[in-house]
Amino acid sequence: DIQVTQSPSSLSASVGDRVTITCRASQKIVNKNLNWYQQKPGKAPDLLIYAESTLQSGVPSRFSGSASGTDYTLTISNLQPEDFATYYCQQNYHTPLTFGGGTKVESK
Amino acid sequence: QVQLQQSGPGLVKPSQTLSLTCAISGDSVSSNSAAWNWIRQSPSRGLEWLGRTYYRSKWFNDYAESVKSRLTIKPDTSKNQFSLQLNYVTPEDTAVYYCSRDVGAFDFWGQGTQVTVSS
C-alpha cells in the first residue's frame, strides 16, 4: 500500500499569511496521481487540486500545488477567512486509494 | 452538474448488514471514464477508501483489504445508482459514509450518511 504522511497535523495562522502543508508518499506516485481536498465541519471534502498542481474549477489562485520526488506541497498564499478548514492529500495511483491524516488550519 | 444523493439508515445493530445507496444525476454509472466509490470517515480512522465499481467494457470492483471479506459494491444501471453492502458490522464501522465519483480525483461527493452501529 502507498502511505501518504501529511504534516503538520495542525497549524495556527492569521489572515494574510502564507501556509504550507506537506505530504510525503511512501513510494513514487506515477502520472501525477496526487490530489488535495479541503473539508469544513459537517461537509464532504471538496477537491482543490488534482494531478499535483492543477486547480479544480472555481478554486482561487491563492491555492497552489507542487511536487518534488515523493514530497508534495499545498501552499495557500494570502490566507483568507474562508480558508480555515482541514486539508487532505490523497494518492490515486494504486489501490487501496489512500488519504493523508489531514492538516487543520486554525485561526491564530 | 453531477449530483450524488445518498440514502440509507443511520443506525445499524451489531452483526447486521449496512446498506447504502448512491443515486447519480448528471453522469452514468456505466461511464467509461469514471469510477464510483465509497469512502468513510471516523475520528479513529480518518478518511478511509472502502472500494469502487466501474465499467470498462465489463464491470470491475476493487475493495480495501480491511473490509474485502464483508463488502459488496454493486451498480444498478436501471436506476443509475450504486450501492454498498457491508456485512457483520461492529461498532468499529461507525463512521460518516460518503459516495464519490473518481475521474482521477474525487470530484463529486454525496452529502454523507452518519452510520452508528449500536444495539
Side-chain angles (χ1 to χ4, degrees), chain B residues 26-98:
Chain B
D27 199 351
S28 169
V29 72
S30 304
S31 165
N32 273 294
S33 58
W36 304 95
N37 295 253
W38 287 99
I39 296 160
R40 67 184 179 185
Q41 185 173 30
S42 64
S44 58
R45 292 174 175 263
L47 283 163
E48 180 184 16
W49 175 80
L50 298 177
R52 64 186 180 186
T53 189
Y54 58 99
Y55 185 78
R56 301 291 186 269
S57 303
K58 67 175 185 176
W59 288 102
F60 293 89
N61 287 99
D62 296 310
Y63 298 118
E65 281 298 323
S66 61
V67 293
K68 189 173 185 177
S69 63
R70 301 189 292 131
L71 179 63
T72 303
I73 296 175
K74 289 199 302 188
D76 182 341
T77 57
S78 66
K79 295 181 179 178
N80 200 31
Q81 63 187 30
F82 63 108
S83 63
L84 169 149
Q85 183 172 297
L86 185 63
N87 299 326
Y88 307 110
V89 296
T90 73
E92 287 66 46
D93 294 311
T94 293
V96 178
Y97 285 73
Y98 295 102

Side-chain angles (χ1 to χ4, degrees), chain A residues 1 33 35 37 39 42-47 49-51 56 88 90 92 95-101, chain B residues 37 39 41 46-50 52 62-65 98 102-112:
Chain A
D1 297 4
N33 280 300
N35 308 309
Y37 302 84
Q39 187 178 32
K43 299 291 188 182
D46 283 327
L47 178 62
I49 289 173
Y50 62 94
Q56 176 70 340
Y88 296 92
Q90 178 253 330
N92 213 56
T95 57
L97 307 182
T98 48
F99 293 85
Chain B
N37 295 253
I39 296 160
Q41 185 173 30
L47 283 163
E48 180 184 16
W49 175 80
L50 298 177
R52 64 186 180 186
D62 296 310
Y63 298 118
E65 281 298 323
Y98 295 102
D102 174 11
V103 291
F106 298 116
D107 64 344
F108 289 97
W109 296 66
Q111 77 276 23

Side-chain angles (χ1 to χ4, degrees), chain A residues 6-84:
Chain A
Q6 208 171 322
S7 61
S9 57
S10 66
L11 63 90
S12 296
S14 301
V15 172
D17 282 355
R18 180 183 179 91
V19 168
T20 299
I21 298 168
T22 298
C23 194
R24 174 164 289 175
S26 60
Q27 61 184 269
K28 186 169 176 59
I29 299 173
V30 177
N31 295 332
K32 299 187 174 184
N33 280 300
L34 192 286
N35 308 309
W36 291 95
Y37 302 84
Q38 177 193 68
Q39 187 178 32
K40 295 184 176 178
K43 299 291 188 182
D46 283 327
L47 178 62
L48 279 180
I49 289 173
Y50 62 94
E52 291 179 359
S53 60
T54 304
L55 262 60
Q56 176 70 340
S57 175
V59 173
S61 59
R62 62 181 179 272
F63 291 92
S64 64
S66 63
S68 176
T70 57
D71 289 343
Y72 301 86
T73 301
L74 171 69
T75 300
I76 312 171
S77 60
N78 189 20
L79 191 73
Q80 295 299 297
E82 59 268 29
D83 301 336
F84 293 106

Side-chain angles (χ1 to χ4, degrees), chain B residues 6 8-11 41 94-97 112-117:
Chain B
Q6 297 177 218
L11 181 63
Q41 185 173 30
T94 293
V96 178
Y97 285 73
T113 302
Q114 170 66 54
V115 174
T116 301
V117 179

